């Protein structure tokens, strides 16, 4: 509806535009919310370990031991600070991924043409459209001349569509609900690209009210579930925490009853609770996700949702769009046909060709815009230039006859220097060109057979004709020329060079590649064949529409190529695949892909050609739009998951000897080994070991030769938990043997504690070496050092040396003397532990790596 003060030639006044911008908001999509720094801090300090450290520190203050209280508080503060930095960095990554730039728009305001940022365009603005412009908002076309628009970001189809001027009735009313993709519609849509012609349009919808915005709003209805791995780790921590609390309460009662010191009993109970609580799980999961996102970024992949990293290794189906994903989203000439010959330019190489082929290509180029934006016209110019040709300088474009609803062909008349005649060329649908050439029925039937053959190969076919016109006046219609039919030109959107190899690797990794496109079945079948996708059958959108849910679930199990698919059906297909038990990764770049990208287990957007909506809906963004990056992403995802499992296996294992050594003295009456300060110190070693060291480990040799892991499989399966407990029990038995032996040898309480603590730290190193790989034994691991492990061992060793040799630290840790023969005993026990565990690992290797 035309507002007061608004005219078809003057547009809005600056004051009206400013008022609407304030009232309706900027022309951009709403930003996703992020957690504030305060919220991150609150979430972290609620962790049980932080509370236990604070409780132990408070008790030491009550006992008057200020040094130990401050040390515990320092340990707590450092752990919380590290976690806050990591969490805050993750939140900021999500914000940085949004493309803040918007296309600039040429608008008419107050009768003046102004170039403004796209976000400042408002409803009622008059926008001027020209070749190469990105449309800033949904708008009604008030006037246009040969206007062609590429709407592939909305429809998925790379062929531009022509636009028509709205009727007076359409101009007087609000914008109807036009669907993009059809020819001769009087509407343009935000995010689409003008490839030819010019026009004037009135903005009807901006921001979230545009078609792009409505798709963005629909994404909000698709709820993303809490990541399975997060739920699993929370459950483990909760279960073990309950057990730990029960054991802590029992320890307090035993210690207080048997030894009479209730304050020491509370400290011993806190130490036992800290030793049993695997609070590293949430922190390690965060570190792995952040570092995984960083490693993926080195491979030109940005991570928007960390949960996708844990899911990559379980992906069983990769759904991919055709245009711009498998293909290059540009047109090339794949075949030229005259009535009695055919030629494929890639096979024939550059000219010289036969005169008939040269005339066919030259005429097609003359029927194209001199400076084209349309992908098909670019293809004509590119091939002509490759063959050393072009539009001769002696020719000047005199008149262009654009596409019309009744004649789907473009005709251009060129003036010849020094000649009163005209050189005329036409290209368009084969039927339209045949009509212009007035071919007899037999020739028309022959042309149709050739068109069908080329279409079956996935080509878009155009007819080409030329004419010589000697009349000084040009006719008002192309029908006034005497055209000669030259032949057919087949164009294709070529498959990316990296795609066949990437599809093959996916197949090797047990991942089925599925192509979903809006193109015709024969085109889809041809593209799938070139990409290496198994296409035993093609299922169309019309066939899907006729299916109920059970039938569709069964169909998607055996079909890998889907054609003539509407945007809402992409979402339906993803949901059907998930219902069939598949773990679905979905790639895409257009707005029409966004709902399916969000609904998929792993949404992968193309960053170069992708829209803001597609990137916001996705889990991962490929910065270089390289389909081959998906394979590298899967490889990295499997490596990250493997290393996370190794880290969690180690965490469970190391807590067994720590908890055992915290409980053993309470049961035997021997000297207490661990107080809260010792547990806090061990946590400062364990956290970086299990996060940094294991995260840095290289992938297993067979990482891409395994089938995808079961989607319902647990990272800590029964066999993994059993392996962790076995390691922990053997480590506890080794350290307990050293502890009991030192006690029976008559060592003082401080000397026994020192030897037991050093033995436990060295047992920790043995567990790290054993868990670094499923197949390589610990001795060989020493010849393939992990740089992070070297640093962690060096720092931890230095801290222990300080605790053993610096008197203030020795007193704080309640350590006694430590001798060289003590080191030999601890090292011998560690070597024995590593050898025994290596024998068990060799027997369990296959089950652990599965």
């Amino acid at each position: 509806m035309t507002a007061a003060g608004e005219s078809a030639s003057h547009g809005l006044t600056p004051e009206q535009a400013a008022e609407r911008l304030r009232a309706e908001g900027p022309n951009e999509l709403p930003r996703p919310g992020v957690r504030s720094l305060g919220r991150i801090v609150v979430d972290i300090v609620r962790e049980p370990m932080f509370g236990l450290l604070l409780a132990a520190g408070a008790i030491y203050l009550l006992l008057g031991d200020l040094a130990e209280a401050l040390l515990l508080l320092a340990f707590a503060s450092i752990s919380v600070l590290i976690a806050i930095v990591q969490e805050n960095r993750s939140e900021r990554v999500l914000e940085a991924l949004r493309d803040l730039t918007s296309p600039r728009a040429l608008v008419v305001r107050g009768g003046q043409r102004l170039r403004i940022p796209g976000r400042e365009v408002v409803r009622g603005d008059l926008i001027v459209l020209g070749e190469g412009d990105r449309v800033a908002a949904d708008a009604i076309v008030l006037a246009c001349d040969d206007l062609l628009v590429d709407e592939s970001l909305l429809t998925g189809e790379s062929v531009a569509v022509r636009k028509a001027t709205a009727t007076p009735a359409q101009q007087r009313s609000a914008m109807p609900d036009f669907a993009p993709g059809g020819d001769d519609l009087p509407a343009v849509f935000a995010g689409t690209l003008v490839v030819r012609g010019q026009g004037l349009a009135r903005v009807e919808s901006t921001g979230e009210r545009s078609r792009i915005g409505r798709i963005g709003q629909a994404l909000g209805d698709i709820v993303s579930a809490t990541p399975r791995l997060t739920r699993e780790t929370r459950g483990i921590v909760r279960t073990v925490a309950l057990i730990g609390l029960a054991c802590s309460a029992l320890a307090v009662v035993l210690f207080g009853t048997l030894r009479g010191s209730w304050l020491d009993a509370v400290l011993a109970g806190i130490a036992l609770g800290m030793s049993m609580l695997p609070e590293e799980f949430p922190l390690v999961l965060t570190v792995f996700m952040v570092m995984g996102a960083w490693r993926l970024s080195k491979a030109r992949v940005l991570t928007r949702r960390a949960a996708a990293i844990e899911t990559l290794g379980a992906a069983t189906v990769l759904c991919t769009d055709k245009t711009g994903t498998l293909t290059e989203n540009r047109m090339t000439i794949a075949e030229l046909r005259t009535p009695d010959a055919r030629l494929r330019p890639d096979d024939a190489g550059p000219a010289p060709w036969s005169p008939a082929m040269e005339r066919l290509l030259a005429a097609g180029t003359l029927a194209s815009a001199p400076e084209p934006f349309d992908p098909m016209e670019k293809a004509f110019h590119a091939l002509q230039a490759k063959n050393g040709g072009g539009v001769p300088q002696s020719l000047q474009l005199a008149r262009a006859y654009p596409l019309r609803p009744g004649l789907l062909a473009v005709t251009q008349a060129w003036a010849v220097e020094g000649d009163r005649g005209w050189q005329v060329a036409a290209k368009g649908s084969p039927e339209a060109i045949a009509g212009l050439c007035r071919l007899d029925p037999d020739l028309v039937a022959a042309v149709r057979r050739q068109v069908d053959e080329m279409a079956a190969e996935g080509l878009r076919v155009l007819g080409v004709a030329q004419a010589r016109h000697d009349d000084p006046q040009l006719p008002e219609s192309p029908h006034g020329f005497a055209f000669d039919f030259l032949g057919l030109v087949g164009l294709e959107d070529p498959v990316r060079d990296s795609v066949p190899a990437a599809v093959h690797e996916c197949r090797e990794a047990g991942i089925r590649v599925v192509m979903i496109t809006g193109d015709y079945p024969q085109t889809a079948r041809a593209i799938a064949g070139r990409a290496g996708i198994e296409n035993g059958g093609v299922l169309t959108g019309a066939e899907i529409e006729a299916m109920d849910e059970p039938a569709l679930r069964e169909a998607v199990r055996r079909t890998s190529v889907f054609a003539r698919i509407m945007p809402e059906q992409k979402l339906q297909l993803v949901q059907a695949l998930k219902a069939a038990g598949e773990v679905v990764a979905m790639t895409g770049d257009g707005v029409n892909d966004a709902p399916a990208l969000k609904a998929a287990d792993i949404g992968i957007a193309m960053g170069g050609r992708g829209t803001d909506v597609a990137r916001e809906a996705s889990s991962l963004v490929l910065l270089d739009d390289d389909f081959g990056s998906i394979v590298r992403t899967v490889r990295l995802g499997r490596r990250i998951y493997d290393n996370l499992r190794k880290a969690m296996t180690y965490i469970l294992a190391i807590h067994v000897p720590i908890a055992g050594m915290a409980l053993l003295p309470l049961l035997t009456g021997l000297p207490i080994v661990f107080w809260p300060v010792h547990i806090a110190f061990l946590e400062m070693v364990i956290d970086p070991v299990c996060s940094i060291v294991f995260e840095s480990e290289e992938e297993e040799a067979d990482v891409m030769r395994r089938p995808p892991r079961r989607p319902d499989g647990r990272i800590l399966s029964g066999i993994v938990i059993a392996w962790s407990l076995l390691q922990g029990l053997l480590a506890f038995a080794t350290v307990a043997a050293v502890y009991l032996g030192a006690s029976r040898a008559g060592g003082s309480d401080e000397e026994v504690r020192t030897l037991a603590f050093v033995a436990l730290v060295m047992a920790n190193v043995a567990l790290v070496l054993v868990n670094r790989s499923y197949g390589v034994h610990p001795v060989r691991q020493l010849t393939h050092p992990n740089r992070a492990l070297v640093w962690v061992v060096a720092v931890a060793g230095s801290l222990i040396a300080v605790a053993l040799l610096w008197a203030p630290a020795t007193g704080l840790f309640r350590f006694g003397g430590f001798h060289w023969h003590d080191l030999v005993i601890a090292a011998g026990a560690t070597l024995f532990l590593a050898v025994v565990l290596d024998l068990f690992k060799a027997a369990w290797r296959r089950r652990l790596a599965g």
Side-chain angles (χ1 to χ4, degrees):
M1 193 72 70
T2 304
E6 180 185 322
S7 78
S9 60
H10 287 76
L12 298 175
T13 66
E15 293 75 17
Q16 288 174 322
E19 176 59 31
R20 287 193 181 178
L21 186 62
R22 284 192 297 271
E24 299 180 4
N27 180 33
E28 62 183 7
L29 298 179
R31 297 178 181 277
V34 297
R35 287 194 304 166
S36 65
L37 180 61
R39 183 64 200 175
I40 293 173
V41 173
V42 170
D43 289 344
I44 290 172
V45 298
R46 290 168 57 190
E47 292 293 331
M49 179 60 71
F50 184 76
L52 289 172
L53 285 171
L54 288 183
I59 292 174
Y60 277 114
L61 283 176
L62 290 176
L63 294 175
D65 195 337
L66 181 62
E68 193 149 357
L70 292 177
L71 182 61
L72 286 173
L73 292 176
F75 283 151
S77 301
I78 291 172
S79 299
V80 170
L81 181 62
I82 291 172
I84 288 174
V85 170
Q86 291 168 337
E87 291 268 349
N88 192 54
R89 181 181 177 186
S90 298
E91 294 290 342
R92 294 299 166 263
V93 165
L94 299 184
E95 185 72 5
L97 287 173
R98 184 180 179 87
D99 185 359
L100 297 178
T101 61
S102 63
R104 297 183 68 80
L106 182 62
V107 301
V108 179
R109 286 185 178 171
Q112 301 292 321
R113 291 191 175 194
L114 303 173
R115 183 73 67 175
I116 64 173
R119 70 186 306 275
E120 296 179 10
V121 171
V122 298
R123 180 176 54 84
D125 262 329
L126 298 181
I127 54 175
V128 180
L129 305 173
E131 291 184 352
D133 287 345
R134 183 75 66 179
V135 180
D138 291 2
I140 284 283
V141 179
L142 303 181
C144 67
D145 181 16
D146 193 22
L147 184 63
L148 283 181
V149 179
D150 177 358
E151 296 182 343
S152 61
L153 294 181
L154 289 167
T155 64
E157 300 309 313
S158 55
V159 178
V161 295
R162 62 181 177 273
K163 296 298 177 181
T165 300
T167 65
Q170 291 170 330
Q171 293 184 25
R172 288 192 299 270
S173 63
M175 184 174 181
D177 191 19
F178 291 119
D183 284 323
D184 301 319
L185 291 177
V188 291
F189 302 93
T192 58
L193 180 68
V194 178
V195 298
R196 191 170 71 194
Q198 56 189 357
L200 180 70
R202 185 183 69 233
V203 174
E204 296 293 336
S205 303
T206 62
E208 60 185 16
R209 292 170 292 279
S210 66
R211 182 164 290 271
I212 286 179
R214 278 184 282 164
I215 294 177
Q217 286 180 317
L219 298 178
D221 298 332
I222 303 172
V223 180
S224 298
T226 303
R228 181 183 55 81
L229 195 54
T230 301
R231 298 195 304 270
E232 184 178 341
T233 54
R234 285 176 182 171
I236 293 171
V237 172
R238 189 181 303 114
T239 301
V240 178
L242 292 175
I243 297 173
L245 286 174
C247 292
S248 295
L250 180 61
V252 170
V253 173
L254 286 175
F255 193 101
T257 303
L258 298 177
R259 304 199 181 186
S261 174
W262 288 99
L263 276 178
D264 284 349
V266 172
L267 287 174
I270 290 176
L272 180 59
M274 291 170 63
S275 69
M276 295 187 67
L277 182 65
E279 97 296 340
E280 299 92 349
F281 279 176
L283 180 60
V284 168
L285 185 58
T286 300
V287 171
F288 266 74
M289 296 303 105
V290 171
M291 291 300 294
W294 176 77
R295 291 193 184 279
L296 289 173
S297 72
K298 302 289 283 185
R300 305 285 295 162
V301 179
L302 290 182
T303 305
R304 294 200 68 258
R305 293 180 178 83
I309 297 175
E310 70 184 64
T311 314
L312 278 168
T316 59
V317 172
L318 172 57
C319 297
T320 174
D321 192 21
K322 175 182 73 70
T323 304
T325 306
L326 290 176
T327 65
E328 298 179 3
N329 200 22
R330 65 178 180 87
M331 302 300 288
T332 62
I333 294 177
E335 185 173 335
L336 298 160
R337 284 203 187 194
T338 61
D340 53 5
R342 60 183 295 183
L343 180 144
R344 286 191 169 270
D346 288 343
D347 298 334
W353 297 341
S354 69
M357 292 297 178
E358 290 184 350
R359 284 196 302 272
L360 174 59
L361 177 59
T365 305
L366 289 178
S368 303
E371 296 182 359
F373 282 90
D374 181 271
M376 289 187 291
E377 295 190 338
K378 285 183 177 181
F380 277 97
H381 279 273
L383 185 57
Q384 185 76 333
K386 181 180 178 181
N387 289 339
V391 177
Q393 293 184 353
S394 60
L395 296 181
Q396 295 295 324
L397 182 60
R399 182 170 178 178
Y401 300 83
L403 286 166
R404 299 297 182 197
L407 181 60
L408 301 182
V410 174
T411 303
Q412 297 194 149
W414 297 79
V416 183
E417 185 178 343
D419 188 347
R420 291 188 177 183
W422 314 89
Q423 187 170 337
V424 186
K427 72 176 188 324
S429 73
E431 295 82 1
I433 296 298
L436 286 175
C437 296
R438 302 174 180 88
L439 298 181
D440 61 52
D442 290 340
L443 288 177
V444 171
V447 169
R448 285 177 177 168
R449 285 194 296 271
Q450 288 185 326
V451 170
D452 290 341
E453 290 175 8
M454 297 171 73
E457 297 176 4
L459 302 181
R460 181 176 176 82
V461 185
L462 297 178
V464 178
Q466 70 175 10
R468 167 76 185 183
H469 190 72
D470 293 319
D471 194 314
Q473 296 295 325
L474 289 170
E476 290 302 315
S477 166
H479 290 285
F481 297 111
F483 281 107
D484 292 324
F485 182 77
L486 297 183
L488 302 172
V489 177
L491 298 103
E492 68 175 353
D493 187 359
V495 172
R496 292 174 181 271
D497 292 339
S498 62
V499 166
V503 171
H504 177 73
E505 281 199 66
C506 286
R507 190 180 300 116
E508 288 288 306
I511 301 172
R512 179 164 62 103
V513 179
V514 170
M515 186 175 78
I516 303 175
T517 178
D519 221 328
Y520 291 98
Q522 58 265 40
T523 303
R525 185 179 288 108
I527 294 295
R530 294 181 196 133
I533 298 173
E534 298 177 356
N535 56 5
V538 179
L539 197 63
T540 65
E543 292 170 331
I544 290 174
E545 194 171 352
M547 292 181 176
D548 57 18
E549 289 187 11
L552 181 58
R553 280 200 302 270
E554 183 59 32
V556 297
R557 294 178 188 272
R558 60 178 186 272
T559 306
S560 295
V561 181
F562 298 88
R564 302 305 287 168
I565 299 298
M566 299 298 291
E568 59 272 16
Q569 289 179 318
K570 293 186 177 183
L571 174 60
Q572 188 181 358
L573 285 173
V574 169
Q575 292 172 333
L577 284 165
K578 292 175 69 175
E582 306 284 3
V583 177
V584 182
M586 168 78 184
T587 71
D589 59 357
V591 174
N592 62 317
D593 297 325
L597 285 172
K598 186 168 183 181
D601 297 288
I602 310 161
I604 307 173
M606 298 299 179
R609 292 185 174 90
T611 60
D612 278 346
V613 173
R615 288 194 292 269
E616 291 293 344
S618 65
S619 307
L620 304 172
V621 180
L622 304 185
L623 294 182
D624 53 10
D625 285 6
D626 182 2
F627 186 84
S629 296
I630 298 173
V631 177
R632 295 193 296 273
T633 302
V634 171
R635 178 186 294 272
L636 277 171
R638 291 188 175 190
R639 165 188 166 176
I640 291 166
Y641 189 88
D642 276 354
N643 289 344
L644 184 57
R645 170 180 279 180
K646 295 171 187 175
M648 292 189 170
T649 302
Y650 160 81
I651 292 171
L652 281 182
I654 193 59
H655 274 276
V656 173
I658 294 175
M661 292 307 297
L663 183 62
L664 183 60
L666 303 181
L667 301 177
T668 61
L670 294 174
I672 298 292
V673 178
F674 297 143
W675 298 98
V677 66
H678 300 102
I679 304 296
F681 178 85
L682 287 171
E683 295 297 336
M684 293 297 291
V685 173
I686 292 171
D687 283 342
V689 164
C690 57
S691 58
I692 298 174
V693 173
F694 285 106
E695 195 282 329
S696 301
E697 285 297 328
E698 293 295 328
E699 66 211 32
E700 298 286 333
D702 63 345
V703 70
M704 289 299 285
R705 295 195 297 272
R706 307 180 210 148
R709 69 175 188 273
R710 290 180 52 186
D712 58 346
R714 301 174 65 86
I715 191 168
L716 292 179
S717 60
I719 186 65
V720 172
I721 292 175
W723 170 234
S724 298
L725 293 177
L726 176 62
Q727 292 182 73
L729 290 172
L730 288 175
F732 169 62
T734 302
V735 177
V738 172
Y739 168 75
L740 294 173
S743 297
R744 292 186 178 180
S748 65
D749 290 356
E750 290 76 12
E751 290 175 337
V752 171
R753 179 179 298 112
T754 304
L755 181 56
F757 188 82
V758 172
L760 180 58
V761 170
M762 297 188 72
N764 178 68
V765 173
L767 292 180
V768 171
L769 294 176
V770 167
N771 285 287
R772 283 182 63 191
S773 171
Y774 294 126
V776 181
H777 58 72
V779 176
R780 279 196 60 193
Q781 288 282 18
L782 294 174
T783 64
H784 295 81
N786 178 321
R787 184 176 300 178
L789 176 61
V790 173
W791 278 102
V792 168
V793 170
V795 171
S798 300
L799 291 175
I800 292 175
V802 169
L804 294 175
L805 302 176
W806 188 42
T810 301
L812 189 63
F813 280 90
R814 305 180 187 181
F815 284 161
F818 187 76
H819 310 286
W820 284 110
H821 65 267
D822 294 331
L823 182 61
V824 172
I825 293 172
T830 300
L831 179 61
F832 170 78
L833 174 64
V835 171
V836 172
L837 288 176
D838 188 46
L839 294 175
F840 279 103
K841 184 175 69 173
W844 286 10
R845 180 181 180 276
R846 286 186 177 274
R847 300 176 69 186
L848 291 172

